[in-house]
Amino acid sequence: MPHLFFTEEHEILRRHIRKFVESELLPHADEWEEAGGFPDEVFRRMGELGLLGLRYPEEYGGQGGDFFASIVLAEELSRCGSGGLPTAVAVHTEMATPPILQFGTEDQKQRFLVPAIKGEKIFALAMTEPNAGSDLASIETRGVRDGDDWLLSGSKIYITNGVRADVVVTAVRTAEDKWGGITLFLVEKGTPGFSVAKKLDKVGLWSSDTAELVFEDCRVPAANVLGQVNQGFFHLMWELQGERLIGAAGAVAAGDRALELALRYVNERSQFGRPIGKFQAIRHRLADMATELEAARQLVYTTAWRHQQGQSVIKEVSMCKLFACQVAFRIADEALQMHGGAGYMMEYLVQRVWRDTRVMRIAAGTDEIMREIISKQLGL
Ligand SMILES: Cc1cc2nc3c(=O)[nH]c(=O)nc-3n(C[C@H](O)[C@H](O)[C@H](O)COP(=O)(O)OP(=O)(O)OC[C@H]3O[C@@H](n4cnc5c(N)ncnc54)[C@H](O)[C@@H]3O)c2cc1C
């Protein structure tokens, strides 16, 4: 059936990714959750399959696709049995590397973007610090020019892919001006003065690593400044639009998985002589869940289409992030409730979906910050 936003090519891509996910990722989901991470080899395999550069130009090894190709990837990766792996991949493809294409020099595209698309180098994006989360412009990690280099000092926290990253796109204060004093740097693993302080334990997303990073007089060549000096905050504001849209698409997909689990369970489980899905209280709640999910999906698709046309949709992107992430967690919570005691047992997948969707309301901008952006756009 023709679709407003997806072409036949998107559907071919969807089948290609689904096959990969079902045969090469899903069988390892439990093992990777318990291990607290999946092998780097998965990135290389995805690079080989052309999945890390879906919307990057062919001249850098990408597939030359559009934003909906990235949405297909986010939707299909949600079938891999955990939320951690899709998060790690999305940070690499949709958060850390888009600024390199958008703001990087040709030399940086060759040195960083090409191996990122091949899956040979893994990327992270480090904005958050112990004293600067929602208030990103108050970051304290400092960069001081020293000849042809910059010396970076400070720390970053909650950085996805931080433990294993080969390259960390790092936001650094390089001038006093709050918003106009931040610069992005491409910091490479092994650079003296750069280290992983620790891997952090989390409530969910166990298969993705999250790190605290430290910079102690870390010497980075000026050739690794990404974009314009002191324009990093604005570069990140550009980047966050795509990041939040893909995050919202991933949230809708995670909601789909939770709804599927709930539907299956309410048909299997009987109480009072009938499947629990036959009770009106449960049937109606499932109808509401499906409706909320569909509303979130349509909002995300329409906003993604407008974003792709180059329209300014900051308000709508923030609405997508706020609404889709809330809906996803609400559905996961209801799905767990419908499982009764079984929902609280680790052997049922619904607990993982519940733990993994909770973070969506926090990472990449909290619910409250999305409301701040929306209300500002309303002139408040
Ligand atoms: C699993 C995980 C992965 C992450 N990955 C990354 C990553 O890869 N890179 C990265 O840079 N960051 C990452 N983050 C960090 C994430 O983006 C931040 O946690 C988030 O932006 C919130 O910042 P904070 O934790 O400092 O909370 P705070 O900013 O301290 O907020 C605490 C509470 O106060 C509320 N609040 C703050 N300001 C306001 C306001 N003006 N009005 C109303 N309420 C307000 C917040 O909404 C929140 O509820 C990750 C976080 C997690 C949990």
Side-chain angles (χ1 to χ4, degrees), residues 327-349:
V327 165
F329 181 67
R330 206 153 53 225
I331 290 177
D333 193 49
E334 290 288 350
L336 188 146
Q337 183 70 15
M338 287 173 194
H339 279 66
Y344 209 64
M345 297 298 128
M346 296 305 274
E347 70 179 278
Y348 282 82
L349 181 58

Side-chain angles (χ1 to χ4, degrees), residues 285-310:
R285 189 59 199 121
L286 282 159
D288 284 345
M289 286 155 70
T291 306
E292 286 178 31
L293 203 49
E294 198 52 34
R297 190 187 334 274
Q298 299 306 329
L299 179 62
V300 171
Y301 284 171
T302 308
T303 306
W305 183 84
R306 293 181 60 194
H307 174 71
Q308 184 160 276
Q309 306 306 307

Side-chain angles (χ1 to χ4, degrees), residues 87 91 95 124-136 156-162 169 171 202-205 208-211 240 243-244 359-372 376:
T87 302
V91 165
M95 303 172 195
L125 174 62
M127 301 180 275
T128 309
E129 299 182 357
N131 292 327
S134 300
D135 187 9
L136 170 63
K156 296 286 175 182
I157 200 162
Y158 313 141
I159 307 307
T160 304
N161 293 345
V169 177
K202 309 189 291 297
V203 170
L205 300 185
S208 90
D209 66 81
T210 308
L240 279 166
E243 167 173 345
R244 287 175 179 155
V359 74
M360 293 173 172
R361 295 183 48 205
I362 298 169
T366 63
D367 285 1
E368 293 73 24
I369 294 305
M370 292 309 101
R371 291 193 186 98
E372 280 297 293
K376 269 193 197 124

